[in-house]
């Protein structure tokens, strides 16, 4: 048996959160001592793992409680479905990274790429199968709630990206290698690394695409004429200055 503080340290969530889960009946400790200490069993930890998985999918605590309290809920089935989702995300991310690498090589004249190969990694049809399985197991309400959460997160990310573009557009008349410009472009580098992993060379290579690919250039220049070219120079300078 583990005390609440021990569970908190092992899992990395606060004691207050565990107390809250107990109070709402989501994760009730196996037992409570006469002194009032909550004691958690191995089964409690398994339930907690599932709770955190479902939270990651964007489900509310109320929906999670309904799912895991269902007599037909099966830990193994849930874990397998979570694993399928993560494997699909992993496959898509790996393919996108490979697509970026091939695109960078193509820009340097090392390989030829078809238009179709430029978009490898953007087919999420297998994700639809995962969604169907999730709906069958946990119901439309839980899945719709999760999708709504993801959509809100994507909207927030898009809004933040647009804000960064707007801020950079106000600086496009400055020297791209200046300290002020470099501090601004660092925000873009940090944002990209929140979504994935960009080395300094990859960052500079992405900047090259902003001027060599008309699609990139036209989209970015919507925020201000010449922004794509300015970002290209600023990103190249940032890579050189931070190596």
């Amino acid at each position: 048996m583990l005390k609440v503080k021990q569970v908190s340290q092992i899992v990395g969530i606060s004691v207050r959160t565990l107390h809250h889960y107990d109070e709402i009946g989501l994760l009730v400790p196996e037992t409570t001592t006469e002194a009032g200490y909550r004691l958690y069993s191995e089964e409690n930890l398994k339930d907690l793992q599932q709770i955190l998985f479902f939270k990651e999918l964007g489900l509310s605590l109320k929906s999670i409680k309904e799912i895991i309290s269902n007599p037909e809920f099966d830990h193994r089935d849930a874990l397998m479905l979570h694993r399928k989702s993560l494997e699909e995300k992993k496959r898509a991310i790996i393919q996108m990274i490979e697509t970026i690498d091939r695109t960078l090589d193509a820009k340097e004249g090392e390989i030829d790429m078809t238009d179709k190969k430029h978009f490898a990694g953007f087919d999420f049809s297998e994700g639809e199968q995962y969604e169907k399985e999730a709906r069958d197991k946990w119901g439309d309400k839980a899945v719709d709630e999760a999708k709504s959460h993801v959509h809100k997160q994507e909207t927030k990310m898009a809004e933040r990206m647009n804000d960064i573009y707007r801020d950079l557009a106000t600086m496009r008349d400055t020297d791209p290698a200046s300290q002020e410009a470099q501090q601004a472009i660092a925000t873009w580098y940090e944002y990209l690394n929140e979504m994935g992993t960009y080395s300094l060379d990859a960052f500079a290579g992405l900047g090259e695409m902003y001027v060599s690919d008309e699609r990139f250039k036209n989209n970015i220049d919507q925020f201000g004429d010449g922004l794509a070219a300015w970002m290209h120079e600023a990103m190249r300078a940032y890579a050189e200055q931070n190596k």
Side-chain angles (χ1 to χ4, degrees):
M1 292 284 187
L2 297 172
K3 292 182 179 179
V4 66
K5 188 173 181 180
Q6 292 173 304
V7 175
S8 171
Q9 292 172 339
I10 291 171
V11 180
I13 60 177
S14 69
V15 169
R16 177 178 291 183
T17 296
L18 290 168
H19 285 176
H20 178 61
Y21 288 173
D22 182 12
E23 290 164 1
I24 65 175
L26 178 60
L27 183 69
V28 179
E30 183 72 22
T31 186
T32 304
T33 68
E34 292 182 2
Y37 292 110
R38 295 171 169 87
L39 297 178
Y40 293 83
S41 65
E42 285 294 324
E43 196 64 28
N44 284 145
L45 293 183
K46 291 179 183 178
D47 287 339
L48 180 56
Q49 184 190 51
Q50 291 295 341
I51 290 167
L52 297 178
F53 275 136
F54 283 124
K55 274 196 69 182
E56 186 67 23
L57 290 173
L59 273 65
S60 68
L61 297 182
K62 181 180 179 181
S63 294
I64 296 172
K65 182 180 177 182
E66 290 175 0
I67 292 171
I68 67 175
S69 62
N70 189 317
E72 297 182 2
F73 176 74
D74 184 276
H75 278 284
R76 187 177 185 280
D77 286 348
L79 286 171
M80 292 300 293
L81 204 50
H82 285 309
R83 192 178 193 284
K84 280 186 181 181
S85 173
L86 293 172
E87 284 289 348
E88 171 57 21
K89 289 179 182 178
K90 175 183 174 182
R91 182 201 66 78
I93 290 170
I94 289 174
Q95 193 166 11
M96 284 186 180
I97 290 172
E98 291 174 349
T99 298
I100 289 172
D101 288 342
R102 286 196 298 269
T103 303
L104 291 173
D105 288 341
K107 295 302 177 185
E108 295 171 4
E110 295 180 13
I111 61 171
D112 293 324
M113 287 183 72
T114 63
D115 286 340
K116 184 176 181 179
K117 285 184 178 180
H118 273 94
F119 297 94
F122 291 92
D123 180 6
F124 293 97
S125 57
E126 291 183 34
E128 295 175 4
Q129 178 61 30
Y130 165 76
E131 180 180 325
K132 182 179 183 301
E133 290 183 45
R135 288 186 184 279
D136 291 341
K137 285 188 177 294
W138 302 316
D140 291 337
K141 178 183 175 183
V143 175
D144 288 340
E145 190 175 76
K147 290 183 70 176
S148 175
H149 171 80
V150 170
H151 176 70
K152 288 178 182 177
Q153 291 298 108
E154 290 176 344
T155 300
K156 285 175 64 177
M157 290 179 70
E159 289 174 350
R160 186 178 169 204
M161 179 177 69
N162 289 342
D163 285 342
I164 293 173
Y165 276 137
R166 292 187 190 99
D167 289 341
L168 292 173
T170 65
M171 305 189 65
R172 65 189 190 280
D173 292 328
T174 65
D175 179 358
S178 68
Q179 183 177 358
E180 183 183 15
Q182 288 300 293
Q183 288 176 344
I185 205 67
T187 303
W188 182 234
Y189 182 68
E190 290 163 3
Y191 173 78
L192 290 174
N193 276 287
E194 287 178 17
M195 296 190 296
T197 302
Y198 277 79
S199 66
L200 291 169
D201 286 337
F203 187 57
L206 183 63
E208 291 284 347
M209 292 176 65
Y210 289 175
V211 290
S212 61
D213 190 314
E214 285 297 317
R215 291 167 296 184
F216 275 107
K217 182 179 181 299
N218 292 337
N219 283 329
I220 294 172
D221 280 354
Q222 291 181 50
F223 294 88
D225 290 338
L227 178 59
W230 184 89
M231 287 184 68
H232 162 235
E233 294 297 333
M235 291 163 75
R236 182 171 63 181
Y238 184 86
E240 291 174 353
Q241 292 179 22
N242 287 277
K243 283 185 178 180

